[in-house]
Amino acid sequence: METLLKKLFQANSLTGDDLLYLLNNVDAGTEQLLFDLAHKTRIKNFGKKVYLRGLLEFSNYCRQNCLYCGLRRDNRRVSRYRLSREEIWRLCQRSYELGFRTFVLQSGEDPFYTDDLLADIIAGLKERFPAAAVTLSLGEKSRHSYQRYFAAGADRYLLRHETAARPLYERLHPGMSLQNRQKCLQELKEIGYQVGAGFIVGLPEQGNEELVADLLYLKNLQPHMVGIGPLIVHPDTPLRDWPNGSGKKTLLCLALTRLLLPEVLLPATTALNVLSPNGLERGLQAGANVVMLNIAPAAIRVKYELYKGRVQDNVEGPALLEKIKTRIIRAGFSIDMGRGDHPGWTSNREKESSTD
Ligand code: 5AD
Ligand code: SF4
């Protein structure tokens, strides 16, 4: 066990069989070694820095019907909302003033926001805040649409692959295919985005084999960012009677991801914090180096209910920022409010301008 972990630490790679052996056989002692090696790897690449991102969930309408998600189209109990272009700009302005230099614009798959409107929103942000990075998380779109947002100035795109086990993917995502998901991720990379993939831990009928498939898919894709969180069951979804995912298993996956992709931007996700009051700290101690903070007013945030218990208090704005900063520092880390690009990344845009 120790030998395998050290091999992973040194080579940043391991076979599927070895990863499976690790997941099947970790005990308290080896688990601590895994967290320590992941921590060492993050310190080597990022020091104690934790990047903060401002997250704005601007629409909770969704045309998809993912079985686990509270925003799925068949859930009639959600009070749906959409923010206007001006509201989005204004909330980003406020978070810019608080020091954020990455805005993450997230929504369900909402066709109300046409490519024209999205390009306009993105260009407006880049014009007002040229020093800030714009990250999109809008689901599956055509290559052409991704291209347009990139041309308008978007820097990064988050699209979790959710699970790399095909039968599981197809059961959980009616009308969607893993193949198209992976195609989207490939296209986003080709266009020049910094790309984020990732998966949910604790899906029905997901065992360690399936998690190994996720880890190997990530190793192969080489994304710049990876989002991993436990399933948090939502009562108004078909998974209502299923148990939540395991926090511990999520931490193991975070640590393994840090070792497989040493330079990856890896958030300690909000879902992790729902399961335990110190989920954030434990995520950071297992190799995570990003925290995403909600910048919408609490009245809007409560409606973006991917899962229950997502909004734990109604602290907002500067008070929320201070609270999270304090927790991060107390856990032994430091705050970085910069853009926080992936260390190995130079944009196509920069490459083009440096050749002339
Ligand atoms: N529990 C945990 N994560 C969820 N997501 C959606 N619903 C849930 C849930 N019930 C995640 C998906 C999606 C991201 C925005 O939120 O992975 O990509
Ligand atoms: Fe829509 Fe995303 Fe929820 Fe699926 S996970 S229903 S695509 S918001």
Side-chain angles (χ1 to χ4, degrees):
M1 192 73 172
E2 277 86 0
T3 336
L4 276 185
L5 283 173
K6 288 190 178 131
K7 191 167 145 195
L8 174 59
F9 174 65
Q10 274 151 14
N12 303 120
S13 163
L14 218 51
T15 64
D17 285 347
D18 286 348
L19 286 169
L20 185 59
Y21 181 85
L22 280 181
L23 282 173
N24 283 341
N25 296 286
V26 272
D27 55 24
T30 44
E31 185 183 280
Q32 197 49 53
L33 177 61
L34 170 59
F35 295 152
D36 290 348
L37 294 175
H39 183 71
K40 244 189 193 167
T41 304
R42 76 93 82 208
I43 293 290
K44 193 169 110 202
N45 291 286
F46 297 95
K48 292 184 169 172
K49 277 189 295 203
V50 173
Y51 296 114
L52 297 190
R53 319 292 200 201
L55 171 64
L56 182 58
E57 294 149 342
F58 64 91
S59 160
N60 67 354
Y61 282 82
C62 190
R63 67 189 178 99
Q64 302 292 6
N65 220 8
C66 309
L67 263 55
Y68 44 78
C69 178
L71 302 185
R72 61 200 305 273
R73 67 164 184 266
D74 284 355
N75 184 7
R76 294 285 127 84
R77 301 177 75 153
V78 199
S79 149
R80 307 274 176 179
Y81 70 88
R82 291 185 172 114
L83 301 189
S84 69
R85 201 172 64 139
E86 287 72 20
E87 285 172 306
I88 294 172
W89 288 336
R90 192 170 47 78
L91 288 166
C92 287
Q93 165 90 43
R94 217 187 278 166
S95 65
Y96 191 88
E97 286 160 7
L98 289 175
F100 289 101
R101 292 297 176 270
T102 291
F103 310 128
V104 183
L105 300 187
Q106 186 167 68
S107 68
E109 292 197 11
D110 182 1
F112 172 87
Y113 296 84
T114 60
D115 287 353
D116 281 344
L117 177 53
L118 287 166
D120 190 32
I121 292 171
I122 296 159
L125 284 175
K126 293 304 272 196
E127 192 188 306
R128 288 170 175 77
F129 317 107
V134 172
T135 303
L136 303 176
S137 178
L138 317 172
E140 296 183 14
K141 305 268 182 174
S142 69
R143 185 185 188 114
H144 178 78
S145 298
Y146 289 148
Q147 192 83 59
R148 277 211 62 195
Y149 315 148
F150 189 73
D155 300 276
R156 311 185 187 131
Y157 203 104
L158 306 177
L159 184 74
R160 288 189 178 177
H161 66 275
E162 313 295 2
T163 171
R166 177 156 293 121
L168 187 53
Y169 186 96
E170 274 151 29
R171 274 201 299 280
L172 292 167
H173 304 94
M176 299 171 83
S177 76
L178 181 60
Q179 195 193 352
N180 193 57
R181 196 79 175 172
Q182 296 180 335
K183 175 168 154 272
C184 288
L185 283 160
Q186 201 54 49
E187 289 174 348
L188 288 162
K189 266 197 107 175
E190 286 164 13
I191 291 168
Y193 284 98
Q194 292 173 67
V195 173
F199 56 97
I200 302 179
V201 177
L203 292 167
E205 291 162 59
Q206 179 193 51
N208 289 338
E209 279 89 356
E210 283 73 19
L211 293 173
V212 168
D214 287 316
L215 295 169
L216 293 177
Y217 173 68
L218 291 175
K219 180 70 189 171
N220 180 46
L221 176 69
Q222 297 274 321
H224 307 86
M225 305 167 279
V226 171
I228 301 171
L231 172 73
I232 311 287
V233 169
H234 192 294
D236 303 322
T237 65
L239 299 194
R240 65 180 66 84
D241 295 325
W242 204 259
N244 284 337
S246 141
K248 184 59 69 63
K249 189 61 76 71
T250 307
L251 293 171
L252 295 176
C253 289
L254 283 173
L256 290 171
T257 301
R258 168 61 62 212
L259 291 169
L260 289 167
L261 301 168
E263 296 190 320
V264 80
L265 296 161
L266 189 66
T269 50
T270 45
L272 197 56
N273 216 43
V274 171
L275 292 184
S276 113
N278 61 350
L280 175 87
E281 289 80 357
R282 291 171 69 189
L284 295 175
Q285 282 148 3
N289 65 334
V290 172
V291 171
M292 289 162 67
L293 260 120
N294 221 301
I295 61 171
I300 292 176
R301 268 164 31 201
V302 293
K303 296 185 181 172
Y304 204 87
E305 204 179 52
L306 297 162
Y307 43 81
K308 285 280 171 196
R310 189 149 180 273
V311 179
Q312 292 172 309
D313 52 48
N314 48 13
V315 184
E316 51 186 36
L320 176 63
L321 179 59
E322 279 319 306
K323 192 173 156 182
I324 297 291
K325 278 187 174 173
T326 305
R327 283 179 65 178
I328 294 171
I329 290 164
R330 281 212 189 116
F333 298 92
S334 64
I335 308 289
D336 192 318
M337 297 284 284
R339 277 177 54 116
D341 288 298
H342 185 277
W345 182 80
T346 42
S347 81
N348 284 351
R349 283 187 270 267
E350 283 162 29
K351 274 183 237 154
E352 271 161 31
S353 57
S354 65
T355 53
D356 52 42

